[in-house]
Amino acid sequence: MSLFHTMRALTFTAHGGPEQLVVRDDVPKPSVHATDGVRVRIHAAALNRLDLWVLQGIPGSKVKPGWALGSDGAGIVESVGSAVTSVKVGDRVIINPGVVDRQCRCEYCRDGDQPLCLTYGVLGEHYPGTIADFVVVPEANVRTIPDWLPWDVAAAFPLATLTAWRMIVTRARVRAGENVLIWGIGGGVALAALQICKHIGATAWVTSGSPDKLEKAMLLGADHRLDHREPELGKAIRALTNKRGVDVVIDSVGEATWPQSLIALGRRGRLVTCGGTSGPIVQVDVRRMFWNQWTLMGSTMGNDAEFDAMTEFFRHGSLQPPVDSVWSLEQAPQAYARLASGEQFGKVVVQLVPEA
């Protein structure tokens, strides 16, 4: 196959750690076949914890030779299908990583709740990903952005912010003045959650085992910082709130934090989870649940309306994700190692086109 028809992409040879990653330059360049297809020349792609899970091996997933990794990306529209009207060649765009069959008429799609559709999948996990020179996605998955937004920030925005937006705005329905506990500040979802809470006018309680991360979070607007290495953190929050507890807990950690999350959660409280990085199995004392009238919710990704709403804020300078570090495509294994270390504060970005 000629170089004209191939591209560079980050792939992997076997499930495992960053040592399994390889940059190939012979991956077939995707073509626009569908009338609503959009081919984007990727300028920058951002990593998420999902990328580590895909590399390690999600149950049921299989290694596909030449599979491009990555869910988040931003770039320039290079070609479009005949029915595309919302973007044109040369537009700067961000990509919504969640892809769904737009012809589906299931109850969830009729309600506009695409992430619940059985056809829903994510770039890099179910479809070829964004850490590649080019990616083809449906027109519904791209949104234009202004020229002043840096590529690394644009790439860092979609997945984590969409996840946090759905958790806070749609699921928990956080209101001004409410107390929100956010575990593990420094990760993409936690930082997006902090920014969204402050935009709403809520009081943000953030946790970390790193004093440096807690200090940086305060500079971003966090109201209270907590060392989550404290074994009785839930009781400490109770004491600081005169035994009332917090209104909402944003927990993506799972087993390790769940008991303290519930101790910290006040009456009529809402706990929203989008992951279980420390383990998937948790326990609930149902007596405390019904007595305190808690609502325990799951959440993942987001729908078109949510993506549109948060993108409007992004276009006007709000909800700008902090970027921890930027790496070249050839340095992608080091970028993965940085994310896996847990030492990052903000998004880890892979840049495919050097800044002019």
Side-chain angles (χ1 to χ4, degrees), residues 10 31 47 69 148 152 179 228 313 345:
L10 181 68
S31 299
L47 300 184
L69 296 165
W148 63 266
D152 58 343
N179 287 285
H228 61 210
F313 287 104
F345 187 89

Side-chain angles (χ1 to χ4, degrees), residues 14-163:
H15 289 305
E19 72 281 355
Q20 302 293 348
L21 295 169
V22 59
V23 176
R24 293 176 52 174
D25 61 6
D26 60 348
V27 175
K29 181 179 177 181
S31 299
V32 176
H33 296 295
T35 58
D36 68 338
V38 175
R39 183 163 63 196
V40 179
R41 173 68 162 102
I42 297 294
H43 278 239
L47 300 184
N48 296 279
R49 189 152 293 274
L50 173 63
D51 298 304
L52 297 178
W53 295 336
V54 171
L55 179 59
Q56 292 164 3
I58 296 175
S61 67
K62 297 179 180 179
V63 174
K64 297 180 177 66
W67 188 260
L69 296 165
S71 300
D72 270 330
I76 294 178
V77 174
E78 196 241 12
S79 61
V80 300
S82 60
V84 173
T85 59
S86 64
V87 295
K88 63 184 183 302
V89 172
D91 281 349
R92 301 172 89 247
V93 296
I94 54 173
I95 297 171
N96 180 346
V99 178
V100 70
D101 179 1
R102 295 287 167 173
Q103 301 305 310
C104 180
R105 293 295 178 266
C106 72
E107 60 184 301
Y108 309 114
C109 288
R110 291 198 305 269
D111 290 342
D113 210 359
Q114 293 85 19
L116 292 176
C117 179
L118 293 178
T119 71
Y120 188 84
V122 180
L123 298 178
E125 180 184 359
H126 307 100
Y127 302 97
T130 56
I131 311 179
D133 286 327
F134 297 93
V135 66
V136 173
V137 295
E139 176 185 14
N141 285 76
V142 294
R143 300 292 187 278
T144 59
I145 56 172
D147 292 343
W148 63 266
L149 279 167
W151 286 120
D152 58 343
V153 176
F157 176 71
L159 191 147
T161 312
L162 182 59
T163 300

Side-chain angles (χ1 to χ4, degrees), residues 165 168-169 173-178 194-202:
W165 184 277
I168 292 164
V169 177
R173 298 187 180 183
V174 172
R175 300 182 295 272
E178 290 192 306
L194 168 60
Q195 291 186 324
I196 295 167
C197 283
K198 295 313 299 178
H199 174 77
I200 291 171

